[in-house]
């Protein structure tokens, strides 16, 4: 299965690069392919182009040993792993343009007998579409088990948690769905070379829906917590204590509320189910709407407090979508800061985000927003708005907050 010419991982982002480095750490030669030349250059120097704790040493190690090489060209190989983005369109259906581009690159190289695994999170039927797309380019090939000119396809969704990717890549169980039975077996053999987790074989459509189901389950649970937090605000009850107490029940496990739900998975994947079954996915849609409305609720809370000041200084702690990462995609905190800056032109907003070197474009052009270090921002602030539970924020001396208006959306300073 794995040849000396290397297994290409197509797409070297948050998922593809750790996957490539992880496979390479098992002594298997990996070719990382990305269209982003800057990424390719950085990776070949052993530099991680994004923040992932404890990852740089692993990457540097495999690059220096020559086990991982990054390039922009897709080579021929026996097995391909595709980890390109799967954003959604305006109607929440999946935009497959990155998958199609990767498929086109792979199609040119195929000879028959190869395996193509889609790792990107996708609605049911996407692996099949990728196969159709490849076979349209290559009418000399087929996706029928056992033929000499067959190409095999599978879906192996990724379930790792940003911030713990290197640990979870080794240990997590994996759902592997073959488009055909042989495709599933080949993918299982591939993943068995580097994964310690259980490899659970199914068909491609079930594997696709399994990943979406996992994230929708979490989204619905967080929506429940977010709704509880609003109810608790109204009733004057501490939602964090409430959830802690309720979770002592042996069969209750409520997740934590926050300023909304962000990231590239939980805030996106449920929509793929809604788009696939709009009439049926009522609870899943409603949970999305509850979570998407939470940032507006937070903005309302800040506006009420800010009305007491002529020109409030607001320290906004965290704009990443969750704790201890630098990923700003779909981040509710980022949108909250942006909206506050627009709605409070007289306010000065001091953004503290220890995991990014500079503010993103989305906050560019907003004259009343600047990035500051934690101590300076807290000292200057009238209002301290905690949006993300990054580790350094947990260590803030509570005494420094006594004279401030504190809005803690993560229950860090209870
Ligand atoms: N980030 C996560 O936590 C996470 C977790 C599980 C699953 N996923 C899924 O994994 C997939 C990838 O997500 P990500 O977070 O790694 O995305 P990302 O944006 O960080 O990385 C994707 C990479 O693919 C590259 N790319 C795009 N088109 C390409 C092409 N045609 N050929 C080669 N490279 C190409 C981009 O330049 C980029 O570097 C998505 O479907 C996502 O939903 C992400």
């Amino acid at each position: 299965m794995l040849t000396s010419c290397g297994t290409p991982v197509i797409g070297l982002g948050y998922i593809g690069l750790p996957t490539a480095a992880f496979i390479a750490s098992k002594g298997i030669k990996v070719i990382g392919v990305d269209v982003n030349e800057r990424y390719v250059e950085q990776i070949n120097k052993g530099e991680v182009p994004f923040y992932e704790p404890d990852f740089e040493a692993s990457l540097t190690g495999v690059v220096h040993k020559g086990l991982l090489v990054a390039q922009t060209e897709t080579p021929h190989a026996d097995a391909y792993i595709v980890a390109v983005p799967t954003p959604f369109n305006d109607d929440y259906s999946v935009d497959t343009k990155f998958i199609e581009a990767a498929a086109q690159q792979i199609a040119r190289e195929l000879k028959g007998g190869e395996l193509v695994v889609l790792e990107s999170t996708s609605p049911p039927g996407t692996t099949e579409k990728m196969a159709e797309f490849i076979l349209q380019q290559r009418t000399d090939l087929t996706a029928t088990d056992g033929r000499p000119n067959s190409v095999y396809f599978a879906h192996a969704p990724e379930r790792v948690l940003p911030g713990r990717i290197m640990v979870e890549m080794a240990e997590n169980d994996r759902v592997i769905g073959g488009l055909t039975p042989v495709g599933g077996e080949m993918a299982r053999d591939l993943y068995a070379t580097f994964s310690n987790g259980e490899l659970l074989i199914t068909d491609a459509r079930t594997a696709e829906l399994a990943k979406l189901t996992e994230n929708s389950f979490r989204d619905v649970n967080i929506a429940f917590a977010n709704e509880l937090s609003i109810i608790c605000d109204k009733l004057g009850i501490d939602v964090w204590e409430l959830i802690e107490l309720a979770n002592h029940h042996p069969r209750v496990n409520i997740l934590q509320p926050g300023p909304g739900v962000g990231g590239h998975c939980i805030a996106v994947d449920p929509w793929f189910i809604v788009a696939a079954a709009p009439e049926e996915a009522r609870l899943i849609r409603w949970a999305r709407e509850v979570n998407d409305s939470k940032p507006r609720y937070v903005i309302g809370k800040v506006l009420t407090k800010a009305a007491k000041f002529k020109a409030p200084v607001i320290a906004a702690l965290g704009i990443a979508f969750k704790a201890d990462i630098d990923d700003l995609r779909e981040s509710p905190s980022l949108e909250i800061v942006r909206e506050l800056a627009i709605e409070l032109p007289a306010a000065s907003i001091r953004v503290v985000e220890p995991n990014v070197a500079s503010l993103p474009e989305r906050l560019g052009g907003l004259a009343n927003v600047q990035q500051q270090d934690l101590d300076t921002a807290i000292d200057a602030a009238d209002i301290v708005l905690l949006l993300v539970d990054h580790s350094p924020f947990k260590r803030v001396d509570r005494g420094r907050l006594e004279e401030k208006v504190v809005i803690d959306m993560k229950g860090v300073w209870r």
Side-chain angles (χ1 to χ4, degrees):
M1 166 65 53
L2 297 163
T3 58
S4 56
C5 64
T7 298
V9 174
I10 319 282
L12 299 175
Y14 286 96
I15 292 301
L17 183 59
T19 303
F22 184 68
I23 301 174
S25 74
K26 303 288 170 190
I28 299 164
K29 190 155 184 224
V30 180
I31 297 175
V33 180
D34 204 290
V35 288
N36 184 333
E37 286 177 15
R38 186 174 58 81
Y39 268 33
V40 167
E41 257 174 53
Q42 276 185 278
I43 292 163
N44 284 332
K45 285 188 218 153
E47 292 169 13
V48 182
F50 46 83
Y51 176 70
E52 174 63 30
D54 306 325
F55 178 45
E56 185 122 330
S58 315
L59 180 71
T60 312
V62 291
V63 168
H64 287 165
K65 283 186 194 148
L67 287 166
L68 172 61
V69 176
Q71 58 187 51
T72 52
E73 296 301 311
T74 303
H76 173 262
D78 291 343
Y80 297 85
I81 293 176
V82 178
V84 295
T86 40
F88 53 51
N89 296 308
D90 289 345
D91 65 352
Y92 298 123
S93 62
V94 66
D95 179 351
T96 52
K97 67 171 181 276
F98 297 106
I99 294 180
E100 286 178 21
Q104 195 156 16
Q105 292 152 220
I106 294 168
R108 286 196 286 265
E109 303 301 325
L110 297 173
K111 295 178 177 157
E114 297 90 349
L115 170 70
V116 183
V117 181
L118 179 65
E119 276 210 8
S120 306
T121 305
S122 304
T126 311
T127 308
E128 203 171 334
K129 276 192 200 141
M130 179 180 75
E132 280 166 13
F133 188 79
I134 287 182
L135 297 178
Q136 275 161 16
Q137 319 282 308
R138 293 293 305 273
T139 49
D140 56 322
L141 299 172
T142 174
T144 316
D145 280 356
R147 300 259 181 87
N149 62 341
S150 262
V151 180
Y152 300 91
F153 297 92
H155 181 58
E158 187 51 76
R159 303 152 133 182
V160 288
L161 184 69
R164 275 179 51 84
I165 287 183
M166 291 314 274
V167 179
E168 296 210 354
M169 209 152 262
E171 303 305 331
N172 285 1
D173 294 341
R174 295 204 70 128
V175 176
I176 295 179
L179 197 58
T180 58
V182 174
E185 285 164 24
M186 287 172 78
R188 181 198 52 211
D189 293 347
L190 172 65
Y191 282 82
T193 56
F194 56 85
S195 174
N196 300 333
E198 195 178 340
L199 303 176
L200 308 152
I201 306 297
T202 181
D203 59 87
R205 289 173 74 87
T206 307
E208 287 161 339
L209 190 56
K211 163 75 191 182
L212 304 181
T213 300
E214 291 156 15
N215 281 340
S216 297
F217 173 78
R218 292 177 62 76
D219 198 45
V220 170
N221 193 326
I222 297 168
F224 181 66
N226 274 333
E227 192 165 284
L228 277 177
S229 76
I230 295 169
I231 294 168
C232 283
D233 268 0
K234 185 171 179 176
L235 303 181
I237 290 168
D238 179 340
V239 69
W240 314 98
E241 185 191 356
L242 174 83
I243 290 176
E244 204 176 296
L245 294 172
N247 281 348
H248 274 272
H249 184 290
R251 285 166 296 283
V252 172
N253 183 15
I254 307 167
L255 296 177
Q256 299 297 300
V261 170
H264 198 54
C265 292
I266 299 183
V268 174
D269 300 354
W271 286 122
F272 289 158
I273 300 184
V274 174
E279 297 298 317
E280 295 76 10
R282 290 183 299 158
L283 178 63
I284 294 170
R285 178 200 293 272
W286 188 236
R288 268 300 52 246
E289 285 171 6
V290 167
N291 286 332
D292 276 354
S293 65
K294 191 72 188 290
R296 192 66 241 169
Y297 178 78
V298 178
I299 292 164
K301 263 172 106 93
V302 180
L303 293 181
T304 306
K305 300 289 184 189
K308 296 182 196 130
F309 300 90
K310 215 168 157 195
V313 176
I314 303 173
L317 307 194
I319 52 167
F321 84 80
K322 56 172 278 202
D324 297 330
I325 58 166
D326 69 345
D327 195 339
L328 309 182
R329 291 178 297 180
E330 316 292 331
S331 171
S333 310
L334 178 59
E335 290 311 310
I336 289 167
V337 169
R338 187 181 150 78
E339 274 308 306
L340 286 173
I342 293 166
E343 291 180 38
L344 290 172
S348 168
I349 302 186
R350 319 289 171 90
V351 173
V352 183
E353 181 42 82
N355 300 320
V356 302
S358 56
L359 291 182
E361 237 173 66
R362 189 102 183 107
L363 299 179
L366 295 167
N368 55 345
V369 179
Q370 58 178 292
Q371 190 171 15
Q372 255 178 6
D373 67 84
L374 182 59
D375 288 335
T376 315
I378 289 183
D379 284 348
D382 300 306
I383 299 173
V384 179
L385 170 63
L386 185 133
L387 293 165
V388 186
D389 45 343
H390 287 319
S391 300
F393 304 162
K394 294 180 185 165
R395 296 191 287 267
V396 168
D397 174 3
R398 309 294 190 275
R400 295 179 59 198
L401 302 170
E402 266 165 21
E403 303 296 310
K404 319 278 178 190
V405 174
V406 174
I407 303 174
D408 175 0
M409 295 311 303
K410 291 302 297 178
V412 164
W413 298 323
R414 289 169 50 213

